[in-house]
Amino acid sequence: VVKNVLDEIRPQKLTLEIARRLIHKVEQKATQMGVNAVVAVADEGANPIAVECMDDSYIASYDVAFNKAYTVVALKMPTTTLKELAQPGGSLYGIQFTNNGKIIIFGGGEPLTNKDGVILGGLGVSGGTEAQDTALAEYGKKVFESRSF
């Protein structure tokens, strides 16, 4: 039996250990970028697995990071994709006012999937500019997919 390489590389379940290791890698990248980030990982039900706040991160970034992780699981798409759909005239315009205000419509959230594209959880990053948060979340997704943590 020949195994798919991704079967061995990409995790099939998000655990606390995986979440912590992923967060650590994102924090290392944030440090290189000069960003004091809050990094959150949610499970497949959008419940928190782990959230870490780097020293001197913004207090407000805690809710934003977790809600980005929630959003990508709840809507099965990166927050950058949702941003486009939620603009005036977009098919999801106004969605940020649903779900008790937990939906975030700007960059910094990425779904974490298994080899078959099934969402295992979500990653949310907040603390920098939208471009920085987006870059950090995209980096975290790549780290998760390559299991280089």
Side-chain angles (χ1 to χ4, degrees):
V1 175
V2 177
K3 288 186 175 182
N4 181 334
V5 174
L6 285 180
D7 288 344
E8 296 177 14
I9 296 174
R10 195 178 301 180
Q12 296 302 305
K13 179 171 174 36
L14 264 174
T15 64
L16 177 59
E17 179 62 25
I18 290 170
R20 286 178 174 160
R21 290 161 85 195
L22 179 59
I23 287 170
H24 180 71
K25 291 294 273 189
V26 173
E27 288 173 338
Q28 286 178 328
K29 186 71 165 176
T31 297
Q32 292 172 1
M33 294 171 63
V35 175
N36 299 322
V38 176
V39 185
V41 175
D43 67 14
E44 71 278 0
N47 300 302
I49 295 176
V51 181
E52 285 197 12
C53 306
M54 294 176 67
D55 292 342
D56 297 322
S57 59
Y58 296 114
I59 294 169
S61 291
Y62 181 92
D63 282 345
V64 174
F66 175 72
N67 287 338
K68 287 178 183 181
Y70 170 88
T71 298
V72 300
V73 174
L75 296 174
K76 302 179 182 185
M77 68 179 78
T79 55
T80 53
T81 301
L82 181 59
K83 177 182 180 175
E84 298 304 317
L85 298 171
Q87 296 301 310
S91 61
L92 295 177
Y93 179 65
I95 195 163
Q96 70 272 24
F97 302 114
T98 68
N99 291 268
N100 295 317
K102 291 171 51 174
I103 302 296
I104 301 292
I105 60 167
F106 48 87
E110 287 286 337
L112 302 173
T113 62
N114 69 11
K115 65 179 180 61
D116 298 318
V118 175
I119 294 177
L120 302 177
L123 172 66
V125 181
S126 180
T129 64
E130 181 181 9
Q132 290 169 322
D133 290 354
T134 298
L136 288 166
E138 288 172 350
Y139 170 79
K141 181 176 181 166
K142 287 179 188 168
V143 166
F144 181 78
E145 290 177 349
S146 67
R147 200 168 186 174
S148 57
F149 49 90

